[in-house]
Amino acid sequence: MVKNGVSQTFSISKESNLPIVISTWNHGLPANEAAWKILSSGGHSLDAVEAGVRVPEGDPEVITVGYGGIPDASGKVTLDACIMDEKGRAGSVTYLEHIKHPISVARLVMEKTPHVMLSGKGALEFALNNGFKKEKLLTPKMKEAWKKWKKEKREFSTKINIENQLLENHDTIGMLAIDKDGRISGACTTSGMGYKMPGRVGDSPIIGAGLFVDGEVGGAVATGSGELVMKTLGSFLVVEMMRGGMSPSEACEQAVKRIAKKIPDYQKHQVGFIAINGLGEYGSFCIQPGFNFAVKTNSITVLEDSEAWMKTL
């Protein structure tokens, strides 16, 4: 920092900021509470992020994650998720049907297979072979909304913070946590864009796009229009910017600016990033106003509004 022409350096106590958990959107508040039960008792951040995102996965009122998610254009609910720890281990599932908690399947992919990603029928078979039960994910509420959408023959479109005129879209939940021992983990899970083309997979289960963690630097997750994040490997970019010395907020801002520079129609989309570094410092930035994120530490429990690129222009 420069004050009165003099450069000043402030040291931050790592221990004073830990543990910490941050997550996207207001459904991150109850997710953070579940994660905090593990973090506050000295548990591993990997267990915390899995437990945390399972909350919106199992909540039918959260219409873009897990059970109760908006279906694709054919009426099927298909889920994507990934998880990553401080050692660089990662697991992912894409286009998974009938399983309420894809994040837990992703963790088993990481721990029980030589692979990072399983998809579709293979992911489902793996889940069933490991004790998961088939469940009906399409709720009556979402079935009626899909029937209405299909009857009106509306074309698929990406809306800013709103998926359709009836239902607010709070999108993917991404979560990052650091435990008392400084171990960083992240998780990301979604049912994807409402009424998407069958087979579509977004950024959320892709390591480096929807989520990236480096135990020596920090972690980042993305939410919003996944195609834009995939084209710029947004979460990896944020972590690399932090590696180069940027704060989490600065790194998230640079990732959004990269999208604005590279993608011509970015104004039609929303993308938000949250990030955390090894000191427990956190930050966020997004394209459009309207993105918020939840934070919990020993001293605060808060939902914060993100700074937005379009607001600054």
Side-chain angles (χ1 to χ4, degrees):
M1 174 182 286
V2 178
K3 185 175 182 181
N4 297 326
V6 179
S7 178
Q8 297 179 320
T9 300
F10 296 93
S11 61
I12 300 174
S13 170
K14 182 175 181 179
E15 289 74 18
S16 67
N17 290 350
L18 304 182
I20 182 173
V21 57
I22 64 173
S23 56
T24 56
W25 302 110
N26 63 0
H27 52 234
L29 289 169
N32 284 0
E33 292 297 327
W36 192 254
K37 290 179 181 179
I38 294 171
L39 294 173
S40 62
S41 63
H44 196 297
S45 59
L46 185 67
D47 296 325
V49 296
E50 180 188 5
V53 301
R54 282 175 60 97
V55 173
E57 281 185 338
D59 185 349
E61 297 304 312
V62 180
I63 63 171
T64 53
V65 180
Y67 173 59
I70 307 175
D72 64 16
S74 70
K76 295 180 179 179
V77 179
T78 62
L79 306 178
D80 306 321
C82 72
I83 195 166
M84 194 170 188
D85 69 8
E86 81 283 356
K87 299 177 182 178
R89 300 188 306 160
S92 170
V93 290
T94 74
Y95 206 64
L96 177 64
E97 295 184 71
H98 308 302
I99 303 296
K100 184 183 290 186
H101 294 295
I103 195 64
S104 295
V105 184
R107 180 169 180 177
L108 284 185
V109 172
M110 178 183 78
E111 295 178 336
K112 288 189 143 186
T113 81
H115 308 304
V116 170
M117 181 182 290
L118 294 179
S119 186
K121 292 181 179 179
L124 176 59
E125 183 179 355
F126 173 77
L128 296 176
N129 288 341
N130 280 277
F132 289 84
K133 304 299 182 184
K134 263 190 173 185
E135 298 185 63
K136 188 174 182 179
L137 302 182
L138 184 64
T139 62
K141 177 181 176 180
M142 286 298 100
K143 187 175 182 178
E144 287 305 310
W146 169 73
K147 284 182 177 180
K148 184 176 186 298
W149 174 84
K150 190 175 181 180
K151 183 177 180 180
E152 293 174 352
K153 297 181 179 179
R154 288 191 288 143
E155 293 184 2
F156 169 82
S157 64
T158 56
K159 301 286 186 178
I160 296 170
N161 299 328
I162 299 292
E163 188 56 56
N164 62 48
Q165 61 185 5
L166 298 176
L167 301 165
E168 187 172 4
N169 175 13
H170 274 177
D171 213 275
T172 307
I173 182 165
M175 176 179 282
L176 301 164
I178 310 181
D179 58 37
K180 70 177 183 61
D181 296 318
R183 296 172 295 192
I184 308 169
S185 297
C188 193
T189 180
T190 186
S191 57
M193 289 181 173
Y195 315 124
K196 61 195 175 186
M197 291 179 64
R200 183 263 184 186
V201 173
D203 67 303
S204 297
I206 298 176
I207 301 301
L211 166 70
F212 193 72
V213 172
D214 185 314
E216 297 179 351
V217 179
V221 293
T223 184
S225 295
E227 282 71 13
L228 279 65
V229 180
M230 286 188 281
K231 290 173 183 176
T232 54
L233 278 182
S235 292
F236 176 76
L237 178 61
V238 171
V239 174
E240 288 305 292
M241 293 289 187
M242 291 194 294
R243 190 190 306 277
M246 287 188 184
S247 70
S249 294
E250 291 169 335
C252 290
E253 181 175 357
Q254 288 302 311
V256 168
K257 287 181 177 179
R258 181 72 60 87
I259 289 173
K261 180 180 179 181
K262 296 291 185 180
I263 301 175
D265 65 342
Y266 77 92
Q267 300 97 330
K268 298 178 182 179
H269 299 264
Q270 173 67 298
V271 170
F273 293 100
I274 60 172
I276 195 167
N277 65 18
L279 294 174
E281 299 170 322
Y282 64 88
S284 175
F285 206 79
C286 60
I287 296 176
Q288 310 280 352
F291 169 54
N292 51 33
F293 61 101
V295 184
K296 187 169 182 64
T297 69
N298 282 313
S299 58
I300 63 170
T301 298
V302 65
L303 186 69
E304 297 191 17
D305 291 323
S306 177
E307 290 295 321
W309 173 242
M310 295 297 290
K311 186 177 179 181
T312 65
L313 295 180

